[in-house]
Amino acid sequence: MSIEGPGAPEPAPRAEKKPAKAEQETGKETEDAVALLHRHHDGITHGSESPDEQFLAELRADVSRLEFYPMYQEYLADRVPTIPMLEESMKRAVASLDALLAGWKSHGVVAEEMAEETKMRNLLSGRLAAIRGDIFDYIHTMIRFHNIKRKWKDPRFEGDPDVQEQFEKIDADRRRAHESLLLALSIMTSTVLKAAEEDLLEGHTIVEWTPGMPAGPLVKNPSAIVVFSPAFFGSRDQTQAKRNRDYLRDWAIAADFDEQFREIAEVQRSGQSPK
């Protein structure tokens, strides 16, 4: 059974730009804030820094002035699928497939006859690792592109062939990372829907999430498996396709921001770097 969303995704509204209290530090731009958080996170997790409470508090306050803030609000309020929600959904799907495959095996079904179902099971088992990796790659190429773009626009480097070459390479890397993330999310959706169509996820409700659906309450249902709606991927309308890409870009930034803060909080609780 699928729960249909209210139609094609609509982009989140952009936050109104306001003067930032820590403007000199954050530059009022998303990439600057993300880079600052990553540097502090890496220093903490590598043991070379301790959590700076004042810095983290100021960054949390100043994030409300950044472009991705509307999505970040949605993410923190569980109004969009979060990484932990998707992770739980994939665990449910994999557990269901594991039980099914074990039952078939006990009745004498050989591995070759379960090859397609095993492939689906393995795809879903590794999905969140792939998505996390693609988010990480996209965020880092986004930061690199932001930095080289500043240099590219600097009159001192106007016409510099090395800077131009770096700009084009990093831009291509950023676009590839974005495409890879979209593909990872799309594979998650298509694999779950295919498994459901073939009655391999018996007892589960497949939630094809679109904006406006309350993601948090849905995933609390132990039978629910939440994925992004296929409407996010492959739209033939170029305007809508761009909106979907931008929406998932902001979602990835919000997810990354939340993950960084979660890991820092874990260090604060445990007193040691996360493994």
Side-chain angles (χ1 to χ4, degrees):
M1 174 183 177
S2 295
I3 302 176
E4 296 297 334
E10 291 295 333
R14 292 295 190 184
E16 180 183 353
K17 295 239 179 176
K18 302 176 182 178
K21 179 177 66 176
E23 179 177 335
Q24 292 182 349
E25 188 173 16
T26 67
K28 292 203 306 182
E29 295 193 46
T30 292
E31 294 88 348
D32 294 311
V34 172
L36 285 167
L37 180 57
H38 268 261
R39 283 200 295 270
H40 192 48
H41 167 274
D42 292 349
I44 293 167
T45 55
H46 294 149
S48 60
E49 295 182 32
S50 297
D52 185 332
E53 297 288 355
Q54 181 178 351
F55 166 77
L56 293 171
E58 288 180 357
L59 190 58
R60 282 192 180 95
D62 290 331
V63 74
S64 65
R65 301 171 175 89
L66 302 177
E67 286 188 341
F68 83 104
Y69 180 64
M71 175 62 76
Y72 189 52
Q73 281 184 303
E74 298 287 293
Y75 194 95
L76 293 182
D78 288 345
R79 290 193 289 266
V80 300
T82 64
I83 291 295
M85 286 182 203
L86 296 176
E87 193 164 41
E88 178 59 31
S89 290
M90 293 307 99
K91 285 179 181 177
R92 294 170 184 175
V94 169
S96 182
L97 287 166
D98 280 343
L100 184 69
L101 292 169
W104 287 355
K105 185 176 181 180
S106 70
H107 285 83
V109 179
V110 297
E112 290 78 7
E113 295 174 347
M114 302 185 292
E116 184 178 355
E117 292 80 6
T118 301
K119 180 180 179 181
M120 283 191 277
R121 182 261 177 217
N122 292 338
L123 275 172
L124 296 179
S125 178
R127 219 35 13 217
L128 264 294
I131 290 168
R132 276 193 168 99
D134 286 332
I135 289 175
F136 180 87
D137 289 344
Y138 175 67
I139 293 297
H140 279 263
T141 58
M142 179 187 78
I143 293 169
R144 288 171 55 217
F145 179 73
H146 182 63
N147 291 336
I148 193 62
K149 188 176 180 180
R150 279 180 171 164
K151 190 173 183 179
W152 182 68
K153 288 184 174 181
D154 189 327
R156 293 175 297 174
F157 297 98
E158 185 176 358
D160 188 316
D162 290 336
V163 173
Q164 180 66 32
E165 183 179 354
Q166 290 178 55
F167 177 85
E168 292 175 358
K169 180 183 183 304
I170 295 172
D171 185 31
D173 290 345
R174 176 180 64 99
R175 293 176 185 276
R176 278 194 297 269
H178 194 184
E179 289 296 334
S180 182
L181 171 60
L182 296 176
L183 179 60
L185 291 168
S186 176
I187 289 173
M188 178 177 63
T189 293
S190 61
T191 304
V192 166
L193 293 182
K194 183 177 181 183
E197 287 170 4
E198 297 182 7
D199 297 324
L200 303 177
L201 299 174
E202 186 177 353
H204 288 285
T205 298
I206 311 306
V207 181
E208 300 174 26
W209 186 88
T210 57
M213 300 176 72
L218 287 171
V219 84
K220 288 179 181 178
N221 177 355
S223 71
I225 295 174
V226 177
V227 294
F228 283 100
S229 167
F232 277 102
F233 314 105
S235 174
R236 295 182 179 180
D237 182 279
Q238 292 186 355
T239 300
Q240 186 61 52
K242 184 180 186 307
R243 287 175 179 169
N244 295 345
R245 290 168 60 84
D246 289 349
Y247 189 95
L248 291 174
R249 175 203 62 206
D250 285 355
W251 174 84
I253 296 170
D256 176 77
F257 220 72
D258 184 60
E259 290 273 297
Q260 300 295 306
F261 272 117
R262 282 176 184 267
E263 292 187 9
I264 290 172
E266 181 60 31
V267 172
Q268 291 172 309
R269 284 193 297 269
S270 65
Q272 60 184 9
S273 299
K275 303 300 183 201

